[in-house]
Amino acid sequence: MDIYEEIRRNLLGGKADEVVNLIRKAIAVCYPPESVLKEGLILGVDTLAYKFRNSEVCVPEALRVARALNAGLRCLTPYLDQGGARQCTAVIGTVEGDVHDIGKNLVKIYLSTLNIDMVDLGVDVSKEEFVEAAVEHDARLVMASALLPTTVCELKGVIEELTKAGIRDKVIVFVGGLSVSKEYAEEIGADYYTRDAIELRDFLNKNLSKLLKEI
C-alpha cells in the first residue's frame, strides 16, 4: 500500500491523527505537497462526496471524515505553493437559520484547488453578512447553501440584498443544498445551481474564465 492510499484509507476512517502523521511522513521523504493534496486528500474526499451525493453516508461518518480532512489540510497547507495566480475570490456560507456545513466544506476544498480564494463565512450567515463580505473582499462569486426546507427562502433574501447594495451585476451567484432545486434557483434569480460539490468543481474548471469575463 503506497502512502497516498494510506492517507485516503485513514481519511475515510475518520482517523485525524493518522492522516496528519502520514502527511508529515510523506513530506519528510520528499513527496510533492501538491501530490499529497490531490492523490491523498482530494481523491479520498471524492469518495465521501460521491457517497454524500447518493445519500449513502450518515452524518456522524461525514463529520469524522471532515474533521480528519481539516486536520490534514492544516498540516499540509504550509507546504503548498501559494504563489499561483488567484483567479478570483468567492464568499461561501450556509444561510441564516441553517447550521449544516458538510456540503459547503466540500465545495470550499474543491474550489481551493482551482486557485480561487475562498472566504468561508461559516453557517447561520445572514444576508447582510454575505453582502458585507462580498464588498470587503471584492468577491466575484457568492455561494450560498441551504439544507433545510425552512431555510431555503433565505437564498432569495441574499440575492435581494445583493441587488439592494448595488452589486448584483458584479457577482455570480451560485446556490445549492439538499432542499434547493434548479427550478427554485431560476425562480429567485440565482445565476447557477449545481447539485453537489463535484458538479460545481467540474463546471467551474471548464467555465470560470469565461464567466469572469462576462461580469
Side-chain angles (χ1 to χ4, degrees):
M1 182 183 299
D2 68 24
I3 199 162
Y4 297 139
E5 186 176 348
E6 286 188 70
I7 291 172
R8 295 193 297 267
R9 181 172 59 82
N10 282 279
L11 174 66
L12 293 173
K15 299 177 180 178
D17 290 343
E18 287 299 318
V19 169
V20 169
N21 289 336
L22 286 164
I23 289 173
R24 289 173 175 162
K25 177 181 176 182
I27 296 299
V29 295
C30 298
Y31 278 80
E34 290 77 13
S35 296
V36 176
L37 174 66
K38 293 176 181 179
E39 301 298 322
L41 295 178
I42 295 297
L43 278 185
V45 83
D46 274 347
T47 302
L48 175 66
Y50 281 113
K51 291 173 72 175
F52 194 71
R53 167 189 282 184
N54 297 316
S55 301
E56 296 175 356
V57 58
C58 64
V59 172
E61 177 187 355
L63 290 175
R64 286 194 298 272
V65 176
R67 283 194 290 268
L69 177 63
N70 288 333
L73 287 171
R74 285 194 298 271
C75 175
L76 184 60
T77 296
Y79 301 99
L80 293 170
D81 179 13
Q82 301 296 321
R86 301 285 101 179
Q87 296 198 69
C88 65
T89 297
V91 296
I92 186 170
T94 304
V95 296
E96 190 168 17
D98 202 321
V99 296
H100 297 85
D101 66 355
I102 296 172
K104 172 188 68 67
N105 290 342
L106 289 173
V107 167
K108 181 178 70 173
I109 292 161
Y110 281 136
L111 268 56
S112 295
T113 69
L114 301 181
N115 283 337
I116 298 174
D117 279 326
M118 301 299 297
V119 178
D120 186 359
L121 305 180
V123 299
D124 193 20
V125 182
S126 71
K127 58 187 179 182
E128 292 85 3
E129 289 174 305
F130 273 105
V131 173
E132 289 168 5
V135 172
E136 177 184 350
H137 297 280
D138 192 26
R140 290 295 172 263
L141 307 179
V142 174
M143 300 180 164
S145 67
L147 185 137
L148 300 173
T150 53
T151 61
V152 161
C153 60
E154 297 295 332
L155 295 171
K156 182 179 180 181
V158 172
I159 294 173
E160 290 175 343
E161 194 70 14
L162 290 166
T163 302
K164 180 180 175 183
I167 63 169
R168 177 64 186 89
D169 60 346
K170 299 177 182 178
V171 297
I172 304 168
V173 178
F174 288 82
V175 297
L178 185 63
S179 297
V180 186
S181 66
K182 181 179 180 181
E183 292 74 22
Y184 183 71
E186 293 174 350
E187 178 185 327
I188 64 175
D191 294 304
Y192 296 98
Y193 158 82
T194 55
R195 62 175 176 158
D196 55 42
I198 295 173
E199 186 176 293
L200 177 58
R201 176 197 60 187
D202 293 345
F203 174 78
L204 287 178
N205 193 36
K206 294 178 181 177
N207 299 291
L208 181 58
S209 296
K210 176 183 175 183
L211 294 178
L212 293 175
K213 291 177 182 178
E214 295 176 352
I215 58 173

